[in-house]
Amino acid sequence: MDKKWEIVFDYLMYLIRENKVKPGEVLPSQNMLKTKFGYSEQPIRIAFNKLIELQIVKSVNGKGFVVQDKISNNLLFSFRELFPGSKSIYTDFEELICDALLAHESGYQINERLIKFKCFRKTEKNELILFQESYIKKEKFKNLTLKDLNQEGLMYFIEKKTSSIVSHSSKKISFITNSEDIEKYFNLTENAINGLILDEGKVYDIFGEILEFRKSYYQPKFFEWNFIEWRK
């Protein structure tokens, strides 16, 4: 059973995600939530502290907990949001057991049951933007099918058909000059590829659990990374 603070947290996230409470507006007060759920102050305070930690809300004296504006170039986007009008083709959906090498790369446990699949992202003109291999936990995605992926993608499935809440991702970006073996592995024979950008990353939920480990290979001409650096 969910902890009390998680129930409150999920409710507040629902209000934010569905734009019931928009950026700049104030979330329900602690007293209102105490009345709604019949909980003591402690789990409600923990839920708000988690939102503050994730920089989703901020505490404003005299107002309450205000939803923060999103910084568009510091958000975790799905492929469909990054490349409007493009299409994803998912293939090679299969189960496997996590070995020592994959455990080292991904953070999953040795002998854990995983699902592996490939994705090819193309423009409206059928130009290949990127290709990717992903690994997710079988236990967490028991009901996921290849049809689900091709209809809406993984991010949509997580957000709409599971109880998980995506928090953030970690990334390691590198350039690959010799991509012949990778192209063979992905069966790419259509066009010559001159180098690849490797985006090796993990997607986490709000509790720090890995939802997806993936290796995305971008054609350099489609890769652009905009971000803001903050000085403490």
Side-chain angles (χ1 to χ4, degrees):
M1 188 173 180
D2 288 341
K3 296 176 183 177
K4 289 180 178 179
W5 78 264
E6 292 176 1
I7 294 171
V8 177
F9 182 92
D10 286 348
Y11 172 69
L12 294 173
M13 283 298 297
Y14 160 76
L15 295 178
I16 296 167
R17 292 168 71 93
E18 298 298 320
N19 282 320
K20 306 287 186 184
V21 182
K22 298 180 175 66
E25 296 180 347
V26 181
L27 286 169
S29 68
Q30 295 190 58
N31 285 335
M32 291 172 65
L33 293 170
K34 283 165 67 175
T35 301
K36 177 178 176 62
F37 291 101
Y39 295 163
S40 67
E41 186 177 322
Q42 184 184 22
I44 293 168
R45 188 170 63 247
I46 292 172
F48 275 117
N49 286 340
K50 188 68 179 176
L51 288 170
I52 292 170
E53 178 188 331
L54 294 170
Q55 299 182 5
I56 295 170
V57 306
K58 60 183 176 182
S59 178
V60 178
N61 288 335
K63 291 187 70 174
F65 295 94
V66 178
V67 177
Q68 297 211 62
D69 290 328
K70 295 178 181 178
I71 302 172
S72 62
N73 58 1
N74 198 29
L75 291 177
L76 176 58
F77 288 105
S78 69
F79 285 156
R80 284 177 172 80
E81 292 167 318
L82 280 172
F83 302 104
S86 59
K87 59 184 177 180
S88 286
I89 301 144
Y90 291 86
T91 67
D92 298 354
F93 189 90
E94 60 182 272
E95 292 184 31
L96 74 157
I97 301 296
C98 185
D99 60 21
L101 177 60
L102 182 56
H104 176 72
E105 285 185 319
S106 67
Y108 293 133
Q109 299 297 312
I110 295 176
N111 294 326
E112 195 166 16
R113 296 191 70 83
L114 304 175
I115 296 172
K116 178 180 76 170
F117 54 86
K118 294 175 183 174
C119 176
F120 300 85
R121 190 74 178 168
K122 295 187 176 183
T123 68
E124 292 177 287
K125 296 180 179 179
N126 213 36
E127 288 183 282
L128 183 64
I129 300 170
L130 64 85
F131 47 97
Q132 172 179 301
E133 187 165 63
S134 293
Y135 299 83
I136 56 177
K137 291 183 178 182
K138 169 67 177 176
E139 182 181 1
K140 185 170 282 291
F141 294 96
K142 291 176 184 176
N143 299 321
L144 179 67
T145 66
L146 187 60
K147 182 179 178 181
D148 292 324
L149 290 172
N150 277 306
Q151 284 182 339
E152 298 292 350
L154 181 63
M155 195 73 74
Y156 179 91
F157 185 89
I158 292 173
E159 293 178 344
K160 300 298 183 182
K161 298 185 179 180
T162 75
S163 59
S164 297
I165 298 173
V166 177
S167 169
H168 64 285
S169 70
S170 62
K171 292 175 176 286
K172 183 172 72 173
I173 309 294
S174 56
F175 186 75
I176 298 172
T177 53
N178 186 357
S179 58
E180 187 176 341
D181 289 341
I182 297 167
E183 291 171 50
K184 285 180 180 176
Y185 177 71
F186 280 88
N187 257 339
L188 297 175
T189 56
E190 304 170 4
N191 303 303
I193 296 176
N194 297 316
L196 291 168
I197 305 281
L198 170 59
D199 174 359
E200 188 173 348
K202 300 170 189 175
V203 177
Y204 297 86
D205 70 9
I206 58 172
F207 305 111
E209 183 178 0
I210 299 170
L211 294 174
E212 179 191 18
F213 168 67
R214 63 192 181 199
K215 291 182 178 180
S216 303
Y217 301 91
Y218 285 79
Q219 294 240 53
K221 69 177 181 178
F222 290 109
F223 186 86
E224 182 178 344
W225 189 15
N226 295 314
F227 62 95
I228 295 173
E229 289 185 325
W230 298 97
R231 180 175 173 81
K232 288 187 177 181

